Amino acid sequence: MTSNRGSFTGKLGFILAAAGSAVGLGNIWRFPYLAAKYGGGIFLLVYIILSVTFGFSLMIAEIAIGRKTGLSAIGAFKKLDKRFSFAGVLAAVVPVIILPYYSVIGGWVMKYVVGFATGLGGAMAEGKFFDNYIATVGEPLAWFALFIGITAVIVLFGVEKGVEKVSKVMMPVLVVLTVFIAVYTICTMDGAWDGVLYYIMPDFSKFSMMTVVAAMGQLFYSMSLAMGIMITFGSYMKKDISIEKSTHHIEIFDTGIAFLAGLMIIPAVFAFSGGDESALGQGPGLMFVTLPKIFDTMPAGSVIGFAFFVMVLLAALTSAISLMETIVSIVMDKLKLPRKISCIIVLAVCLLLGIPSSLGYSAWDGVRILGMQFLDFFDFISNNIIMPVVAFVTCIVVGYVLKPKAIIDEVEESGRFKSKGLFAVVIKYVAPVCILLILISSVLNAFGVITI
Ligand code: PHE
C-alpha cells in the first residue's frame, strides 16, 4: 500500500474503504453491549454528542495530517514535530493489541455463521450455548486461527479494491437486515418496547463518569481513530476530495449502524429477560446470546440468522484487513522487509497474542489482570489508555504545534471548511481537557483507587 499512494477509486472509493474499516464488530458487537451496560439512553446521548464534536474533529485532523504529510502515523508525527514521534509509535501499537482479540471475536462470528448453515440455530438459542462454547479450548482457537489466516491471505495479495467492492454490497444489506430484525423484535415481542425506551430515553440518574469513559473509548474504536489508520487513509486521499464531507459521511454511517445494532439487540434483551435488568450487564457475549434467540422465534429464522452473521463476518473482515494492513505496512517500512515476510511475521505475532484472549474463557479463565479477563484487558488497555493518549497528543500537536489553521488550510484545498470554528475550539480546548479527565479517571478506576 505504501508504494502506490493515491490508489482509491475516487471519492466513493475513499469513503467505502474508510467505512469498511470503521464499520465492524465495534458497531454491531461492542456498541450494543456497552449501551446496555452503561445506562441505555444516557450512553447513546453522550456518544452522539461526542461523535459530532470530538469524533468529527479528530477524524478531520487525522485525515488531514495524512494527506498533508503523505505519510502514515509514525512518519507523519515525526515530520510534524520530532518531540512527538512517540505518538506515532504508540498509535502503531494499538492495532497490534486490537487485531488479535478482534480476530478471536471474528472466530466466534464464523462459528455462528457455520452454526446457522448446519441447522444449529435452535441449539444456539439456548441460554448457555455461548458460554459453554467459549469455555471449550480447541474450537474457538481453530476459528480464531482461521479468521486471522483469511485476513492475512487477503492482506498478502494487497486488495484495497476488494474491500471497496465488498463494502459496497455488504453495507446496504447489513442496514436492511438490521432494520428488519429490529422492527420484527419491537413489533412481535412482549416487553421489547420497554427496551426501546431504555435505549432512547436518557435517564440522567444513570450518568456516571464511566458513561463518558466508555463512550469515548467506543468512539475511538468504532471510528478507527487514534491508531493511525485514518492518517494512513488520508495519505492515500486525493486533494480534490472534500475531507469534511467524507468525514460526515463516515461518521453518520458508522454511528447510524451502531444505533441500529443497539435497537436490534437491547429491546430483545428486555423481551427475553422479562424486564430483569441484570441481563443488560452481560458484556461481550450479549450479541451472541441475544440474536440467536430472536432468529429462533422468526419464520425462516435460520436463513436470516445465517445471512445476518455473514454480513457481520464481512464487516469484521474488512475492519480486520485494515488493522492488519496498517501493521504490515509499518513492518515493511521499518524493517525494510518484503510484503510476504512482513505478513507472515505479523500473522505469527497476532496468533500468539490472540491465544490468551481465547483461552481466557476456558483453560485460563482463572487468570485476571487488574480484575479483567485477557480479552477485556486488551480491549481496555487499547481503548481506554493508549488511544486517549494518542488522541491527546494529536490534539496538542494540531492545536499548538501545527496550529488548527494548517489543518483548516489542508481541508480547504477542496472547498470551504464549514465547521472550522467548531473544529478549532474542540481540538484546542475541549478535547484535550476532556481526554485528560477521562484518562485519569479510567486509570484510577482500573487500579481501584476510585470507583466511577
Ligand atoms: N472500527 C472497527 C469496528 O468498529 C474496528 C477497528 C478498529 C478497525 C481499529 C480498524 C481499526 O469494528
Side-chain angles (χ1 to χ4, degrees), residues 19-32:
S21 166
V23 174
L25 294 170
N27 308 61
I28 306 157
W29 156 78
R30 202 171 185 276
F31 182 87

Side-chain angles (χ1 to χ4, degrees), residues 18-30 94-95 98 102 218-225 227 229 254 315-316 318-324 326 387:
S21 166
V23 174
L25 294 170
N27 308 61
I28 306 157
W29 156 78
R30 202 171 185 276
V94 176
I98 294 187
Y102 199 84
Q218 173 61 15
L219 184 68
F220 295 142
Y221 189 91
S222 189
M223 304 217 328
S224 305
L225 293 173
M227 60 187 94
I229 289 195
D254 190 65
T318 53
S319 298
I321 291 164
S322 76
L323 282 164
M324 193 179 265
T326 311
M387 284 147 90

Side-chain angles (χ1 to χ4, degrees), residues 186-310:
I186 297 166
C187 295
T188 64
M189 291 183 196
D190 284 343
W193 189 247
D194 292 335
V196 176
L197 294 179
Y198 173 80
Y199 182 49
I200 58 174
M201 304 294 286
D203 174 352
F204 289 89
S205 70
K206 291 206 164 71
F207 180 85
S208 77
M209 196 59 192
M210 208 48 210
T211 321
V212 189
V213 172
M216 181 160 282
Q218 173 61 15
L219 184 68
F220 295 142
Y221 189 91
S222 189
M223 304 217 328
S224 305
L225 293 173
M227 60 187 94
I229 289 195
M230 288 299 156
I231 299 185
T232 310
F233 274 136
S235 71
Y236 299 131
M237 192 187 199
K238 301 206 180 79
K239 293 275 184 197
D240 58 348
I241 296 173
S242 163
I243 297 184
E244 188 176 21
K245 282 203 195 103
S246 305
T247 300
H248 274 311
H249 285 134
I250 301 165
E251 189 186 26
I252 291 170
F253 213 72
D254 190 65
T255 308
I257 295 195
F259 172 76
L260 290 174
L263 198 59
M264 166 180 79
I265 290 177
I266 295 178
V269 176
F270 270 73
F272 291 121
S273 69
D276 170 13
E277 291 209 358
S278 67
L280 292 167
Q282 277 178 52
L286 191 66
M287 163 179 118
F288 295 94
V289 174
T290 312
L291 286 176
K293 289 189 189 165
I294 309 180
F295 297 130
D296 197 42
T297 68
M298 227 180 227
S302 42
V303 178
I304 297 172
F306 172 74
F308 183 78
F309 273 94
V310 168

Side-chain angles (χ1 to χ4, degrees), residues 392-429:
F392 179 76
V393 177
T394 308
C395 293
I396 299 300
V397 170
V398 171
Y400 299 91
V401 180
L402 198 63
K403 304 281 183 316
K405 170 122 189 6
I407 297 292
I408 293 171
D409 289 346
E410 179 63 39
V411 175
E412 296 205 319
E413 295 259 345
S414 56
R416 202 166 78 83
F417 182 178
K418 291 200 202 98
S419 312
K420 60 181 162 202
L422 173 80
F423 168 78
V425 173
V426 170
I427 281 288
K428 270 187 102 156
Y429 309 109

